[in-house]
Amino acid sequence: MIYSSQSSKQTKELAANLASEISKTRFKKNQAIVLALKGNLGSGKTTFTQGFLRGLGVKKKITSPTFVIFKRYELIVNRYKFVYHIDCYRIKKSQELLILGIKEIFDNPKNIVLIEWPEKIKKILPKERFNLRFEYGKKENERSIMMSDY
């Protein structure tokens, strides 16, 4: 499926709507919902994540976890308990995230996980996931978002 966005606001609205739909999804009995967000710098991954988290009811300020690697947000009114925003931009090896407990995060069906720069950890990503690819459009604020599941 391909989505087109003309602005940051539109990207956030799209993400909020997708959050509502995706949060009704179940993968394996023992696995988190995982969204792998791939795209160049400035292509809309963090903007999308902000809208997605708002769509799940997160009220806190949402910023990119580039320097802290990941942030966890508690969900109040959802069948999921936590949503994790992971930024792998600075990750050199998958092992770095294994040390931080990423397998336990992936293996918890009460979690939703959004990962920026998933190509850096492709060896440890769950096979069942949503893949989103972000690309620049012709105009400055225009973006294309292509979504597929595993």
Side-chain angles (χ1 to χ4, degrees), residues 18-54:
L18 282 174
S20 176
E21 291 303 311
I22 288 174
S23 68
K24 297 173 190 169
T25 303
R26 276 261 185 237
F27 282 151
K28 293 179 182 175
K29 186 175 166 184
N30 60 344
Q31 181 184 320
I33 295 292
V34 177
L35 288 84
L37 313 177
K38 189 174 181 179
N40 291 327
L41 283 170
S43 62
K45 299 179 301 291
T46 300
T47 299
F48 176 91
T49 300
Q50 290 168 336
F52 193 93
L53 296 181
R54 290 282 181 251

Side-chain angles (χ1 to χ4, degrees), residues 78-99:
N78 201 301
R79 71 178 184 196
Y80 294 93
K81 186 166 182 173
F82 296 105
V83 62
Y84 289 83
H85 180 194
I86 302 171
D87 188 330
C88 297
Y89 184 74
R90 296 181 33 202
I91 297 294
K92 302 279 187 250
K93 296 179 182 179
S94 300
Q95 185 67 25
E96 295 173 63
L97 282 180
L98 292 173
I99 292 167

Side-chain angles (χ1 to χ4, degrees), residues 26-33 103-110 128:
R26 276 261 185 237
F27 282 151
K28 293 179 182 175
K29 186 175 166 184
N30 60 344
Q31 181 184 320
I33 295 292
K103 282 292 195 190
E104 291 79 8
I105 292 169
F106 287 157
D107 290 344
N108 187 336
K110 294 278 187 188
E128 289 189 37

Side-chain angles (χ1 to χ4, degrees), residues 1-73:
M1 188 168 291
I2 299 175
Y3 301 95
S4 182
S5 173
Q6 307 303 314
S7 66
S8 294
K9 182 182 178 195
Q10 204 173 31
T11 297
K12 288 177 183 178
E13 288 170 358
L14 165 70
N17 291 334
L18 282 174
S20 176
E21 291 303 311
I22 288 174
S23 68
K24 297 173 190 169
T25 303
R26 276 261 185 237
F27 282 151
K28 293 179 182 175
K29 186 175 166 184
N30 60 344
Q31 181 184 320
I33 295 292
V34 177
L35 288 84
L37 313 177
K38 189 174 181 179
N40 291 327
L41 283 170
S43 62
K45 299 179 301 291
T46 300
T47 299
F48 176 91
T49 300
Q50 290 168 336
F52 193 93
L53 296 181
R54 290 282 181 251
L56 293 174
V58 173
K59 303 283 186 223
K60 289 183 175 181
K61 183 177 180 180
I62 302 161
T63 58
S64 180
T66 302
F67 296 103
V68 294
I69 311 300
F70 73 82
K71 292 184 180 179
R72 183 181 81 167
Y73 302 89

Side-chain angles (χ1 to χ4, degrees), residues 125-150:
L125 282 175
K127 289 186 183 357
E128 289 189 37
R129 65 181 182 266
F130 293 100
N131 295 304
L132 289 92
R133 179 157 186 81
F134 295 76
E135 293 184 357
Y136 302 112
K138 292 178 182 173
K139 296 180 182 173
E140 184 178 343
N141 290 324
E142 194 175 78
R143 299 291 186 269
S144 290
I145 304 165
M146 287 140 287
M147 184 173 150
S148 63
D149 51 357
Y150 47 98

